[in-house]
Amino acid sequence: MTTAEQIERTLRAAGLRVTRPRVAVLTALTAHPHADAGAVLAVVREDLPDVSHQAVYDSLHALTAAGVVRCIQPSGATARYETRIGDNHHHVVCRECGDIADVDCAVGEAACLTASDDHGFTIDEAEVTYWGLCPRCAAARSTRATT
Amino acid sequence: MTTAEQIERTLRAAGLRVTRPRVAVLTALTAHPHADAGAVLAVVREDLPDVSHQAVYDSLHALTAAGVVRCIQPSGATARYETRIGDNHHHVVCRECGDIADVDCAVGEAACLTASDDHGFTIDEAEVTYWGLCPRCAAARSTRATT
DNA sequence: CCGGTTTTCTTGAATGAGTCAAGACAAGCG
DNA sequence: CGCTTGTCTTGACTCATTCAAGAAAACCGG
């Protein structure tokens, strides 16, 4: 479990000031990976009912800039955040409910970064998004088809 | 070159009615791959000054739903559209200027669809986004560093 | 070629994620 | 403990995209 002290240490290690909103945002993200700004705001307000949405946006930006959290934004969805970073993992997104799960790199870390023809671009990251159906939605769909 | 007749045939083949806005949108996308809705609107209005933005959005949705165009949305950018479809290609996005270029699949078509652990998800597509710097921005940056 | 049906377009307002800006406030340093 | 700097509050605002109602155009059958 990630305790408040660990969260605080993480913030200081990243060179960030330790403030209530930031601790709450990071705690919320640890408990709810892939949450969007609105969800984070809701969770944070369970503890700090009076935080402004702006403080949450600022915290998310500061944490993202410091490399403590990562921001992903699948097509058609709002920005989502996660605390699992630096391990080159990717995501599966459910086309129906938008649920997201983590997936480790399929083909080895190096291969992901190799494009066949990079058009002169200097590539520093490869982001993979798998699209499909989560178990629940797949089940719901087949039930519908059968019935 | 893609002529107006070819565009029209493409629309009919997809089961879509042929209307001026749709032809203009598809023509614009053929000429400007990876354009966003605003850019498409601007290009379309060069020919049809009075189209509503709604008509453009509707056309883009209809074309996307029919599988004639594909919609991509890199993090932090608005939705972009392209007519190159069905060939499993991916994209390089410049972190600085947002420019996008096409890239063929690096590791073979099949490998892309294989996740190491899919968490029970039924995966039907793997989307890869490479992040980096386009030649122009890379040059600008190194000039800045040297000077 | 013509009316009728259905889809699409126009107009105009609304939504919602995210940003901007100014001042109040708190974190961390000495 | 007090100062300086970075962060939070408040509230207005932007911009992409969507919604809704009625007008107009596309296609079908005759």
Side-chain angles (χ1 to χ4, degrees):
Chain A
M1 187 200 161
T2 310
T3 66
E5 297 87 63
Q6 284 179 312
I7 297 274
E8 201 178 315
R9 243 176 283 136
T10 304
L11 287 172
R12 289 192 200 284
L16 296 172
R17 288 192 181 179
V18 178
T19 66
R20 285 170 150 288
R22 286 181 180 177
V23 173
V25 164
L26 199 43
T27 305
L29 280 180
T30 306
H32 306 273
H34 311 130
D36 62 17
V40 171
L41 182 58
V43 174
V44 166
R45 282 191 171 155
E46 288 175 10
D47 278 319
L48 308 169
D50 295 328
V51 270
S52 60
H53 71 148
Q54 192 60 244
V56 170
Y57 276 105
D58 283 352
S59 298
L60 287 170
H61 287 165
L63 291 166
T64 304
V68 178
V69 307
R70 188 174 142 197
C71 173
I72 57 173
Q73 188 177 3
S75 290
T78 55
R80 286 155 180 278
Y81 300 86
E82 65 184 352
T83 55
R84 187 179 157 189
I85 49 166
D87 64 346
N88 191 41
H89 78 276
H90 304 305
H91 299 100
V92 222
V93 185
C94 177
R95 287 189 195 279
E96 214 128 289
C97 67
D99 196 23
I100 298 179
D102 288 339
V103 183
D104 290 315
C105 191
V107 291
E109 314 229 337
C112 273
L113 264 170
T114 314
S116 54
D117 175 4
D118 60 11
H119 290 266
F121 277 63
T122 310
I123 297 175
D124 61 50
E125 186 190 346
E127 184 184 356
V128 183
T129 305
Y130 296 98
W131 292 90
L133 291 177
C134 69
R136 200 177 331 143
C137 288
R141 185 172 279 195
S142 64
T143 302
R144 222 182 305 138
T146 315
T147 315
Chain B
M1 188 199 162
T2 310
T3 66
E5 297 87 64
Q6 284 178 313
I7 297 273
E8 199 178 318
R9 243 176 283 136
T10 304
L11 287 172
R12 289 191 198 285
L16 296 171
R17 286 192 181 179
V18 177
T19 66
R20 285 171 149 287
R22 285 182 182 175
V23 173
V25 164
L26 199 43
T27 304
L29 280 179
T30 305
H32 305 272
H34 312 132
D36 63 17
V40 171
L41 181 57
V43 174
V44 166
R45 281 190 172 155
E46 289 175 10
D47 277 319
L48 308 168
D50 295 328
V51 271
S52 60
H53 69 150
Q54 192 60 244
V56 170
Y57 276 104
D58 283 351
S59 298
L60 287 170
H61 288 165
L63 291 166
T64 304
V68 177
V69 307
R70 186 173 144 197
C71 173
I72 58 173
Q73 188 177 2
S75 290
T78 55
R80 286 153 179 279
Y81 300 85
E82 65 184 353
T83 55
R84 186 179 159 190
I85 50 168
D87 63 348
N88 192 43
H89 77 277
H90 305 305
H91 298 101
V92 222
V93 185
C94 177
R95 289 188 192 279
E96 217 129 286
C97 68
D99 196 24
I100 298 179
D102 288 339
V103 182
D104 290 315
C105 191
V107 292
E109 314 230 336
C112 274
L113 263 170
T114 312
S116 53
D117 174 4
D118 60 11
H119 291 266
F121 277 64
T122 310
I123 297 174
D124 61 50
E125 186 189 347
E127 185 184 356
V128 182
T129 305
Y130 296 97
W131 292 89
L133 292 178
C134 70
R136 200 178 332 145
C137 289
R141 185 173 279 194
S142 64
T143 302
R144 222 182 303 141
T146 314
T147 316

